[in-house]
Amino acid sequence: MMGDTKQKILNVSLDLFSQKGFSAVSIRDICAQVNIKESSVYYHFKNKQAIFDELLHRFEQVATDMMIRLEQSLSVQSCFMEKPFYQTVCDTFFENYFMDDFCNKIMRLLLIEQFDNSEVQKIYDCWMFEKPLEFQSKVFYTLMEVGILPKTDSEYLAVKYYAPIYFFAQRWLFSGDLSEEQKKSFRNAAYQHIEKFFAEMEVA
């Protein structure tokens, strides 16, 4: 029962934080949504910042686990010869990260809070840019090593590949409600870009 209350506090807090920002939400707002007294919140969390910190900690665990799974997929080079490989990578990144309900709300929260909090800005930069670009660069390097792509600058390719995906994510996944229609628009645009990207690489 106590565990349920703690999880409800986290869920409601994330909903409110991702919609209004951390500063605009009070403990009273959270209590009203969870339908508990303020003293009940303080039984589980020292203050509002502790709720925020717990949410970020859980997000970094989820994001780290996802990156580990993606990194492991690179260790089996024979899988690059199969067409479904890149589909699997994209599905993991898109469906289990950008469009995952929890991760999506956290990234909306980070997007809002990065302007007032340098530590949050670092977390946002790490998981929205640094880690994805680092992984994509490794993917392209490996594709070059096994002869699927012509050899060139893998870091440049990572930026060229990822920039439109980030643009599509900002347009459809991190503004307004995350509806099935928004997800569909993102998928259509992102996968169309990926197909054209690799078709151009093959021509080159």
Side-chain angles (χ1 to χ4, degrees), residues 68-181:
I68 289 172
R69 290 200 307 274
L70 290 175
E71 292 280 355
Q72 288 171 342
S73 70
L74 289 178
S75 65
V76 186
Q77 291 193 2
S78 61
C79 67
F80 283 100
M81 305 307 294
E82 302 171 9
K83 190 175 180 181
F85 166 75
Y86 218 80
Q87 180 81 31
T88 301
V89 170
C90 292
D91 285 348
T92 299
F93 191 77
F94 296 162
E95 306 295 333
N96 300 334
Y97 190 53
F98 275 0
M99 290 186 280
D100 173 77
D101 186 60
F102 174 72
C103 290
N104 184 273
K105 287 175 182 176
I106 287 287
M107 285 186 274
R108 287 168 182 255
L109 169 57
L110 295 176
L111 186 61
I112 296 170
E113 293 302 314
Q114 65 168 327
F115 301 108
D116 295 319
N117 187 319
S118 60
E119 287 305 309
V120 170
Q121 197 280 324
K122 289 176 185 175
I123 295 171
Y124 179 78
D125 183 75
C126 174
W127 293 106
M128 189 62 84
F129 299 108
E130 184 183 327
K131 295 290 186 182
L133 287 171
E134 184 180 293
F135 173 73
Q136 291 302 334
S137 180
K138 287 180 181 178
V139 169
F140 293 129
Y141 178 81
T142 308
L143 288 171
M144 291 173 203
E145 287 296 298
V146 298
I148 294 176
L149 293 181
K151 292 197 174 183
T152 184
D153 186 339
S154 62
E155 291 184 5
Y156 169 73
L157 276 188
V159 173
K160 185 178 179 181
Y161 166 84
Y162 186 63
I165 290 173
Y166 174 74
F167 169 79
F168 298 141
Q170 289 295 324
R171 182 177 182 184
W172 285 300
L173 303 183
F174 301 119
S175 60
D177 294 331
L178 184 62
S179 65
E180 288 305 314
E181 191 62 35

Side-chain angles (χ1 to χ4, degrees), residues 31 35-42:
C31 292
N35 196 26
I36 56 174
K37 296 177 181 178
E38 286 192 39
S39 58
S40 297
V41 172
Y42 296 121

Side-chain angles (χ1 to χ4, degrees), residues 28-72:
R28 185 172 296 177
D29 294 329
I30 296 166
C31 292
Q33 292 283 332
V34 183
N35 196 26
I36 56 174
K37 296 177 181 178
E38 286 192 39
S39 58
S40 297
V41 172
Y42 296 121
Y43 179 82
H44 296 283
F45 298 98
K46 181 179 178 181
N47 49 34
K48 189 175 70 164
Q49 183 64 46
I51 299 174
F52 183 80
D53 292 342
E54 175 71 13
L55 288 167
L56 289 189
H57 175 69
R58 292 191 181 193
F59 167 72
E60 293 203 87
Q61 284 185 315
V62 170
T64 298
D65 287 345
M66 180 204 67
M67 292 309 301
I68 289 172
R69 290 200 307 274
L70 290 175
E71 292 280 355
Q72 288 171 342

